[in-house]
Amino acid sequence: MASLAPGQSRPAAPSAAATYDAVIIGAGFAGLYQLLTLRDKLGLKARVLEAGDGVGGTWYWNRYPGARCDSESYYYSYSFSDEVQQEWSWSERYPEHGEIRRYLNFVADKFDLKRDIQFNTRVASAEYDAAANLWRLRTEAGESLSARFLITAVGCLSSANIPNIAGLERFSGQWYHTGRWPQEGVDFTGKRVGLIGTGSTGIQAAPVIAAQAAHLTVFQRTANYSIPARNGPVGPEELREIKANYAAIREKARGSTNGHPFDIAEDSPLDLDEPARLARYEAAWERGGLRFRAAFRDLLTNKAANDTASDFIRAKIRTIVRDPRVAEMLTPKDHPFATKRPPIDTEYFETFNRDNVTLVDIKATPIESITPTGIRTSEAEYPLDIIVFATGFDAMTGPLLAIDIRGRDGLSLREAWSAGPRTYLGLQVAGFPNMFTITGPGSPSVLTNMPVAIEQHVDWITACIGHMRRQGLQRIEARPEAAERWVAHVNEAANATLLPLANSSWYLGANVPGKPRVFMPYAGGMANYARRCAEVAANDYEGFVLAR
Ligand code: N01
């Protein structure tokens, strides 16, 4: 059995068909906080089932070189405990994956959560038993559990997308997906490395791999925009100020469009003359990070406004990258800036000025196969020792559909979502009573700073279950017509933005062959969404059926 993380205690295995008030799947940000509220606030008998051997969720699996958060540490964190906020000190502006794991272990230990987490346990199936009003779960190891409430805290980006490229099984070197990175790390010293994928992950990994490997070949399908992160240490003075102002910082994040505690400018780039516009973009570029999007109010709603940002970044790429041919290949042309989740980087474009880095455009010269010794495109063969797949995830629905979930009358979630995910508020699926999906499709989730979205969902679910227990209610289920209306509203919200213009975006499921193209997250804004959820609860949970 795997060793325990520091401070981890091993919970007893449950007896056959142990029954809980709630089973939570996943021990990342969402699962940990959900366990805490259900167990310690409501006094429920709750258990977390977690596939990994430690807490962390996305940060348990994503340990690839350069993996760090794109949101800033002081607000990519829990807000529910001022003690945690005051006791924990972040070392960098953007926390590295190991530091986030240490943070989550600190929280789990502080609240003694691990005694109710069963690690190394992957859930195979969950079926609703209507007669007993219970969810019956089976793990891959064959254990059975049942629970009144099933709460999925499986993350939006946890189901690795490994492209089906002919010949991979014959490759004689090593290959890895970034989202399943070996805990012991990978030594690239002296190796010829091929990196497929230039999303946020590939863009973080490329400079770090290039600095260590003998040679790095980046296989790019779609050129991407990226903004410099401007990472650095957080000094003691800054830390003191953050800790003194946490209440205001959190309030601002919760009241924002995407869970970030900063203001979005109120004007449009089209209101300014060119020198003033460029000066604004320069300042935003120098400050770095996802906040670049806040330089103007309408970058995601007005194509002409967006063009000015896209052109600014294209010009930056041409300035940074010395070889004009390579710069041209790296210049995004087929989608507006930020319609795919914008990466932030540390010397990504600069990496292509190194002698040991080659860029291959696999839209122009597609990969034909993986050979025993490398990758063959329509034009050339690239000898490799290691292949890194930074090819992303079967996002949002993938982790849920990986479990055989069945609601009323044996209806599988896969059938219910055959034309794309349909939820009410991203919290429940009609036909799946007492199942809650934390940051499920149809909620703001991945369009926000995740801990804000997670805390809002957990608090809502906890309040809902608390209400049910006080009222003696045993079952809550989304009404199909409420879900239909919500799905229509989710589409409407997406169509009011430029987001659907990115054809190959994972927001649309377009990165996974055969996946229905539906814009999955809710683009109407975090604060609006939270208000709507609060109204639903205040109106006696309108849109849900509650029963004894
Ligand atoms: O995945 P992606 P990611 N052949 O889907 C390419 C979050 N995140 O892991 O654009 C060749 O964005 C694909 O090409 P294309 C963040 O929300 C957060 O990078 O589809 N190439 C693309 O270039 C992010 O958005 C953080 O044409 C193939 C790349 O692989 C999300 O995770 C850090 C291919 C996949 O990009 C996902 O990012 C990192 C194929 N068959 C990620 N299939 C932090 O906050 C796909 N590609 C730290």
Side-chain angles (χ1 to χ4, degrees), residues 64 68 70 163 197-201 221-222 340-341 390-392 506:
Y64 60 86
R68 58 179 70 248
D70 287 348
T198 53
S200 300
T201 301
R221 190 163 71 177
T222 305
K340 294 170 94 162
R341 156 68 150 75
T391 44
W506 59 257

Side-chain angles (χ1 to χ4, degrees), residues 168-406:
L168 179 58
E169 69 291 347
R170 287 183 292 136
F171 182 57
S172 60
Q174 280 87 47
W175 67 268
Y176 308 94
H177 186 281
T178 49
R180 291 282 175 277
W181 205 254
Q183 297 208 8
E184 64 283 8
V186 175
D187 184 4
F188 294 103
T189 314
K191 305 287 189 194
R192 297 161 305 175
V193 183
L195 172 69
I196 306 180
T198 53
S200 300
T201 301
I203 280 176
Q204 284 187 334
V208 185
I209 298 175
Q212 199 187 87
H215 195 92
L216 172 68
T217 307
V218 176
F219 296 88
Q220 171 190 276
R221 190 163 71 177
T222 305
N224 218 335
Y225 302 91
S226 183
I227 307 296
R230 312 278 181 218
N231 191 28
V234 183
E237 194 41 52
E238 196 183 342
L239 211 51
R240 249 195 308 279
E241 198 176 316
I242 289 167
K243 289 188 181 192
N245 288 300
Y246 252 132
I249 292 167
R250 302 303 191 182
E251 196 185 323
K252 190 154 204 164
R254 282 192 281 262
S256 71
T257 305
N258 45 22
H260 293 265
F262 45 72
D263 291 320
I264 298 175
E266 287 175 5
D267 52 357
S268 164
L270 307 177
D271 298 337
L272 304 185
D273 61 19
E274 195 171 349
R277 184 164 61 228
L278 290 180
R280 177 85 60 86
Y281 281 135
E282 276 299 342
W285 183 265
E286 281 314 308
R287 191 174 47 211
L290 291 173
R291 195 167 174 173
F292 186 88
R293 284 177 302 186
F296 292 104
R297 76 169 143 75
D298 54 355
L299 296 183
L300 267 180
T301 50
N302 179 335
K303 176 71 167 51
N306 185 296
D307 285 345
T308 66
S310 300
D311 285 344
F312 175 85
I313 302 168
R314 290 182 188 120
K316 282 289 180 196
I317 297 170
R318 293 187 186 110
T319 314
I320 297 169
V321 181
R322 282 191 224 112
D323 181 336
R325 195 189 56 88
V326 177
E328 197 49 32
M329 283 160 67
L330 286 166
T331 301
K333 299 179 186 77
D334 68 348
H335 64 285
F337 165 65
T339 53
K340 294 170 94 162
R341 156 68 150 75
I344 64 172
D345 70 275
T346 300
E347 310 218 315
Y348 174 66
F349 294 116
E350 290 82 347
T351 296
F352 294 92
N353 293 332
R354 295 177 64 109
D355 293 338
N356 71 333
V357 175
T358 307
L359 179 65
V360 178
D361 177 349
I362 53 170
K363 214 165 237 167
T365 60
I367 293 177
E368 288 188 338
S369 64
I370 294 176
T371 68
T373 54
I375 290 182
R376 185 161 58 224
T377 69
S378 59
E379 194 179 59
E381 171 132 16
Y382 298 87
L384 300 169
D385 304 305
I386 297 177
I387 299 174
V388 175
F389 290 97
T391 44
F393 302 90
D394 181 354
M396 306 202 73
T397 52
L400 291 166
L401 296 179
I403 304 168
D404 182 9
I405 298 179
R406 286 170 192 269

Side-chain angles (χ1 to χ4, degrees), residues 40-99:
D40 296 355
K41 262 193 178 165
L42 299 187
L44 262 57
K45 187 177 169 198
R47 190 171 190 88
V48 174
L49 304 179
E50 164 57 52
D53 69 0
V55 302
T58 202
W59 303 105
Y60 176 87
W61 301 102
N62 282 275
R63 302 175 191 226
Y64 60 86
R68 58 179 70 248
C69 187
D70 287 348
S71 293
E72 296 187 41
S73 48
Y74 73 92
Y75 61 85
Y76 186 84
S77 50
Y78 289 120
S79 72
F80 69 83
S81 159
D82 193 47
E83 267 184 41
V84 168
Q85 292 180 158
Q86 300 304 328
E87 286 171 19
W88 182 264
S89 296
W90 294 102
S91 70
E92 288 185 282
R93 181 174 176 192
Y94 300 97
E96 188 253 354
H97 61 94
E99 187 166 12

